């Protein structure tokens, strides 16, 4: 439990690391209300599709302590689910919690919602553990005897989830088993989640890795220095199209052009059967300041930011792109590996889910 | 002449903007020796394949003022040509200058080399003017009546050349003719030449543009918001493979996947018939500090830098990648547009070149 990204302390506060301060500052935030949870999600103090789902569920439980009425339930659920638009886990977790409690009498709702939020967290850990097992089995043979070379984009690691990570779960599993693995870490502009979060958590676990700019992955793949690409996802459409961090599509194209596997680690909660294809997935547009300014540690040791784009220039900052299913080698889910196709997704979901 | 990136002043000093200080500081450097020119090229105070060629030629002329012997000529030429390994213009310009003077008596060499360096500059301006004409004719119809939407990577603009630019020459030509054009500017990590140089020079000329992270171009192309991609190049192999700034290959893949033209602006001096294919082009590996640190303007107005990668993480920083000829729609040269193929390149060079 100690390794979990998210935990409830003795006072009933929901605690996690402030991910906007990593890697140079390690600060915990404590959330005690729906507003705290909403703010943490919207400002990306917590991020990563599975993690924001879990925090959203806790947020709903906190809201019900203040107003457990039908109206209060509906309003809090809508508000929390809208904190970020692209990742479907957030809506999934909030709605699952709402479904769990709405048939109950209002006084019973907050307690039941807290239990459900805890269950979502526990299930996320188990789900990611299984993704780690299935993914490790898939990747294991890829290196042909040498060190397995994995490329990943953004952060779909331990701190994007309650534990283990999604895309990085197989990497951690292989590392635990003593199989030599090295990760090429895309820095992942504009927010640099690769350089600041993936590099940080891989270093913490002692996994060999090298940070590269987002531009460099194509060269590495063409040079035969990558065995497989593995990424997380924010939403998978019913046809297998995958929305993930901006730039994922470019890496999928390069993997395809170089004949390399491109795997998407995909808890079933990230599948959205209501989106027929990637065209239906809303793409979040974010603050231009994420592009014009960069944060990091100054020479004097303080954390600060500086401007890199001249004042007179316009900026466009989409948070995600869609990788068409035809470029995806497979979806690694907690139930095993499925093709990124209408049929594959129907089979993955056939056993039902919460 | 006033608009030229490079000029000789009344004292015979070679003057240009220090491009490592843009866009927030406008500082001129003055070069008076081969060592000055070598340093400016190696530190990227001057950059851009055509511009470093011109500065290399001036550097050789300066060297010959001090030591015009055969040995001095050979040593200076080798040293200058090695200041940066990927762009072939540097070697081309230095060798052209050497060929021009080596049959002369030593006392005549410096004067002849200065004349040759000036001729290289004048020809660069005319060459880029023609690239602008040929490219504008090619792009003109692409927008279907609305604003022409161009995406470019890195900086192949006015300040990458003696004047006009290569990839941006057609954009400036269209803009001068009153044709509405808008440029999506890849920021171009790690050195941010797009955000700091392309955005700056487009703003100076009043050309509409929007800065994006390198990750965003694929999304824009898939969304139909780009009519054509145009980039410069550092070296073109005899089979049409193109070495250009790291990340170019990823944009070529996206253009290909989306059915969009991908043009390479290519002065004949960037063609290297001695490289059979892109595999033979040496790829410069640069200082990891370019990835771990970012430069820009601090909130207090000073220009500074900060660290974005944790100390414990390794970094790999290749400066260029190779785009295979099959992804290139055509090479826009001063002699017209040619296919990126062995045959196309043979035809482009058939009229000979200096």
């Amino acid at each position: 439990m100690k390794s979990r990204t998210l935990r409830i302390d003795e006072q009933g506060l929901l605690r996690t690391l402030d991910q906007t301060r990593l890697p140079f500052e390690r600060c915990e935030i404590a959330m005690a209300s729906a507003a705290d949870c909403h703010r943490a999600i919207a400002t990306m103090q917590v991020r990563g599709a599975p993690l924001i789902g879990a925090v959203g569920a806790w947020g709903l439980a906190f809201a019900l302590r203040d107003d457990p009425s039908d109206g209060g339930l509906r309003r809090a659920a809508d508000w929390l689910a809208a904190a970020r638009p692209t990742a479907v886990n957030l809506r999934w977790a909030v709605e699952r919690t709402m479904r769990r409690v709405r048939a109950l009498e209002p006084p019973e709702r907050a307690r039941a919602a807290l239990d459900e939020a805890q269950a979502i967290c526990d299930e996320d850990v188990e789900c990611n553990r299984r993704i780690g097992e299935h993914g490790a089995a898939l990747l294991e043979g890829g290196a042909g005897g040498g060190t397995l070379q994995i490329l990943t984009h953004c952060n779909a690691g331990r701190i994007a989830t309650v534990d283990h990570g999604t895309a990085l779960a197989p990497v951690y599993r292989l590392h635990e088993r003593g199989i030599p693995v090295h990760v090429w870490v895309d820095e992942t502009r504009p927010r640099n989640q690769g350089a600041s979060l993936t590099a940080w958590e891989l270093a913490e676990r002692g996994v060999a890795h090298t940070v590269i700019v987002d531009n460099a992955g194509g060269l590495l793949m063409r040079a035969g220095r990558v065995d497989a690409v593995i990424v997380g996802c924010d939403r998978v459409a019913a046809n297998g199209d995958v929305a993930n961090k901006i730039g994922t599509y470019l890496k999928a194209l390069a993997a395809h052009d170089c004949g390399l596997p491109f795997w998407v680690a995909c808890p079933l909660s990230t599948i959205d059967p209501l989106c027929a294809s990637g065209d239906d997935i809303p793409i979040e547009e974010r603050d231009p300041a994420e592009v014009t300014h960069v944060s990091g540690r100054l020479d004097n040791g303080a954390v600060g930011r500086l401007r890199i784009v001249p004042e007179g220039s316009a900026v466009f900052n989409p948070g995600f792109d869609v990788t068409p299913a035809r470029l995806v080698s497979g979806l690694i889910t907690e139930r095993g590996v499925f093709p990124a196709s209408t049929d594959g997704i129907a089979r993955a979901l056939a056993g039902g889910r919460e």
Side-chain angles (χ1 to χ4, degrees), chain A:
Chain A
M1 295 290 276
K2 194 167 165 299
S3 74
R4 287 196 175 182
T5 307
L6 203 61
R7 62 187 180 83
I8 284 281
D9 70 9
E10 312 75 45
Q11 283 85 45
L13 299 173
L14 185 64
R15 291 190 171 272
T16 190
L17 283 176
D18 179 350
Q19 300 197 25
T20 63
R21 312 289 283 273
L22 290 173
F24 299 115
E25 294 176 313
R26 197 173 179 136
C27 310
E28 242 186 26
I29 55 169
M31 293 166 274
S33 67
D36 287 348
C37 293
H38 187 281
R39 187 184 322 111
I41 294 169
T43 62
M44 295 181 67
Q45 290 177 309
V46 299
R47 30 67 55 201
L51 190 64
I52 66 177
V55 172
W58 284 108
L60 187 59
F62 291 148
L64 292 171
R65 288 200 302 216
D66 298 331
D67 178 0
S69 69
D70 285 2
L73 176 60
R74 185 71 258 173
R75 275 192 303 277
D78 285 349
W79 184 61
L80 285 161
R84 292 196 64 198
T86 299
V88 76
N89 306 55
L90 177 57
R91 193 184 75 200
W92 166 85
V94 169
E95 289 185 353
R96 169 174 156 172
T97 307
M98 187 178 65
R99 280 199 310 275
R100 172 73 185 78
V101 305
R102 70 181 159 201
L104 303 175
E105 290 304 313
E108 296 166 29
R109 284 176 176 169
R111 182 68 258 162
L114 287 170
D115 290 346
E116 192 67 11
Q118 187 60 55
I120 286 172
C121 287
D122 294 342
E123 287 171 30
D124 184 57
V125 175
E126 176 57 15
C127 163
N128 299 335
R129 195 192 61 74
R130 290 189 196 174
I131 286 175
E133 289 294 341
H134 296 305
L138 207 56
L139 295 173
E140 203 167 1
T147 297
L148 184 67
Q149 300 286 344
I150 300 294
L151 186 142
T152 193
H153 191 67
C154 198
N155 174 269
R158 210 164 54 71
I159 59 175
T161 63
V162 182
D163 204 358
H164 301 308
T166 55
L168 293 187
V171 169
Y172 288 128
R173 193 72 201 94
L174 292 168
H175 181 67
E176 283 160 17
R177 286 165 48 197
I179 292 166
V181 55
H182 168 266
V183 183
W184 296 104
V185 178
D186 275 1
E187 66 171 346
T188 318
R189 282 280 291 150
R191 292 183 66 99
N192 290 342
Q193 293 95 331
S196 60
L197 303 178
T198 300
W200 176 84
E201 67 163 88
L202 290 172
E204 245 207 357
R205 295 289 167 108
V207 179
H209 63 283
T210 302
V211 176
I212 52 174
V213 294
D214 302 305
N215 284 324
L219 171 88
L220 288 169
M221 290 188 233
R222 266 177 67 83
R225 298 177 69 177
V226 175
D227 295 313
V229 181
I230 184 165
V231 297
C233 60
D234 291 83
R235 195 183 304 210
V236 179
N239 71 342
D241 289 351
V242 172
N244 189 45
K245 183 56 53 197
I246 191 77
T248 300
Y249 166 53
L250 297 171
K251 295 303 142 64
L253 285 169
H256 188 260
D257 195 53
C258 297
L260 295 170
F262 181 87
W263 302 112
V264 176
C266 162
L268 296 177
S269 57
T270 44
I271 296 174
D272 185 359
L274 301 177
C275 283
S277 81
D279 295 342
D280 304 317
I281 301 177
I283 299 296
E284 178 178 8
E285 223 179 282
R286 296 187 53 86
D287 187 347
E290 293 184 348
V291 178
T292 56
H293 290 72
V294 175
S295 297
R297 205 183 57 202
L298 299 162
D299 285 342
N300 67 12
V303 169
R305 64 175 208 160
L306 42 72
R307 172 178 267 274
I308 58 167
V309 177
E311 263 86 2
S313 297
V315 164
F316 175 60
N317 183 22
F320 302 88
D321 63 19
V322 172
T323 298
R326 65 185 148 85
L327 300 176
V328 177
S329 304
L331 304 171
I332 308 174
T333 80
E334 61 269 41
R335 281 212 190 110
V337 182
F338 295 91
S341 65
T342 306
D343 178 59
I345 283 177
R347 283 196 283 129
L349 294 179
R353 60 169 185 178
E354 281 291 331

